[in-house]
Structure formats: structure tokens, C-alpha cells
């Protein structure tokens, strides 16, 4: 009886240790991606130009959304997006629209990646291409409530940032996968 209990305890310890390692990796990756997002914001040629209604086009936010949604999951991708927006906004290189623009895209990418991990794990990287769905249709609609111009105006602006950013994120995920880095590194069992 004691042998069975000790085997179960060792298995539970291994499982808990694996969960802690995965959590630590995701937290560290979140911090790194927030730092990368803020640094890339300073090199964004559109960061210092405010367009009608207040947005600033920042494709690198969607690049990071695609990568984090696939690599580290929904909650950490949304946290990364929120962290980038919280730093960019007071520095004057982001607008109020960075909050809902980034988080909605990260959320959709994260959900799509979660579903693909369960159903078709071979194609998880393609989830990065779903960022424009959340950014354009959800975030741009919210932007129209914040500063009403016209819905198609907002959809166009948010698409101009999210489409190239999500494509870059997808390409980077493919490149990382060739180098042996994938979502499996953050979701080990």
C-alpha cells in the first residue's frame, strides 16, 4: 500500500513540477514580449502621427499578438497586449485604441490556437492569421463607439495594422518552428 502511495506522490510531484516550469516559461515570455513590443513601438514610423480619431497604426503589436496567442496561450497573450498598451499610452507612442485593438486580436488568436491544439496540432501556427478578425471586427467597432467617425474608416485603419502584423507573426512562427521552438515548449505535459 505504501508503495502505491509513494508512486502516486512521485507522479503528482512530477506533474506539479512540470506545471510550474510551464507557468514560469510563460510568465518570462510574457515579460520578454512586452519589452520587445515597447521597443518596437519606438521604431514604428506611424507611432508619432495621430490620425483622425486618435489611432496610431502599429503592425508590430499584431505581430506579437500572433506569436503570443500561439506560443503562450490566451491569458498570457492578452496580458502581453495589455502590458504593451499600458506602457505605450503614457509614453505618447500609443493611443487609447491600443487597449481594445491589441487585446481583442490576442484573444481571438489565443482561442483559435487553443482549438487547433486540440483538433489539428499540426496547424496551430495558422492561428496567428486570425488576429485581423478580432482586431478589425471587434476592436474597430469598439473604436467607432469611442470616437464615432464611420465604421468602415475604423475597419480600414485597424486592418492596415493587423493584416501585415499577423502575416509577419505567422512567418516568424514558421521560422521559429524550423529552429525547434514551438508552442510545445510552453505546453509540455
Amino acid at each position: 500500500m505504501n508503495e502505491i502511495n509513494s508512486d502516486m506522490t512521485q507522479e503528482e510531484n512530477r506533474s506539479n513540477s512540470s506545471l510550474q516550469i510551464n507557468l514560469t516559461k510563460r510568465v518570462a515570455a510574457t515579460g520578454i514580449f512586452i519589452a520587445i513590443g515597447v521597443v518596437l513601438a519606438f521604431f514604428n514610423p506611424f507611432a508619432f502621427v495621430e490620425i483622425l480619431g486618435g489611432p496610431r497604426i502599429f503592425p508590430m503589436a499584431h505581430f506579437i499578438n500572433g506569436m503570443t496567442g500561439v506560443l503562450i496561450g490566451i491569458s498570457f497573450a492578452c496580458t502581453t497586449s495589455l502590458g504593451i498598451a499600458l506602457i505605450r499610452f503614457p509614453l505618447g507612442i500609443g493611443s487609447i485604441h491600443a487597449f481594445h485593438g491589441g487585446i481583442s486580436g490576442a484573444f481571438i488568436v489565443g482561442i483559435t490556437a487553443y482549438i487547433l491544439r486540440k483538433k489539428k496540432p499540426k496547424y496551430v501556427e495558422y492561428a496567428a492569421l486570425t488576429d485581423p478578425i478580432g482586431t478589425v471586427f471587434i476592436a474597430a467597432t469598439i473604436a467607432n463607439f469611442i470616437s464615432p467617425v464611420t465604421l468602415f474608416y475604423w475597419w480600414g485603419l485597424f486592418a492596415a495594422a493587423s493584416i501585415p502584423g499577423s502575416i509577419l507573426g505567422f512567418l516568424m512562427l514558421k521560422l521559429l518552428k524550423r529552429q525547434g521552438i514551438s508552442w510545445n515548449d510552453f505546453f509540455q505535459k
Side-chain angles (χ1 to χ4, degrees), residues 38-155:
V38 171
V39 169
L40 287 175
F42 284 104
F43 296 106
N44 179 16
F46 305 108
F48 305 100
V49 179
E50 192 169 303
I51 303 169
L52 176 67
R56 290 183 170 91
I57 297 173
F58 184 44
M60 290 299 124
H62 307 284
F63 163 74
I64 291 173
N65 281 350
M67 291 183 59
T68 57
V70 170
L71 291 176
I72 57 178
I74 302 167
S75 57
F76 290 100
C78 291
T79 302
T80 301
S81 183
L82 177 63
I84 293 169
L86 281 170
I87 296 170
R88 284 178 56 216
F89 184 65
L91 292 176
I93 54 175
S95 70
I96 193 72
H97 302 295
F99 292 95
H100 55 88
I103 294 170
S104 60
F107 182 74
I108 295 297
V109 171
I111 285 182
T112 307
Y114 176 79
I115 292 168
L116 287 174
R117 263 187 228 106
K118 300 291 183 199
K119 306 259 182 204
K120 303 241 182 207
K122 184 177 174 182
Y123 300 106
V124 174
E125 290 81 20
Y126 288 92
L129 298 173
T130 62
D131 179 84
I133 295 169
T135 303
V136 173
F137 297 114
I138 298 171
T141 304
I142 294 170
N144 195 47
F145 288 117
I146 293 172
S147 18
V149 179
T150 176
L151 190 58
F152 294 111
Y153 169 78
W154 289 112
W155 283 2

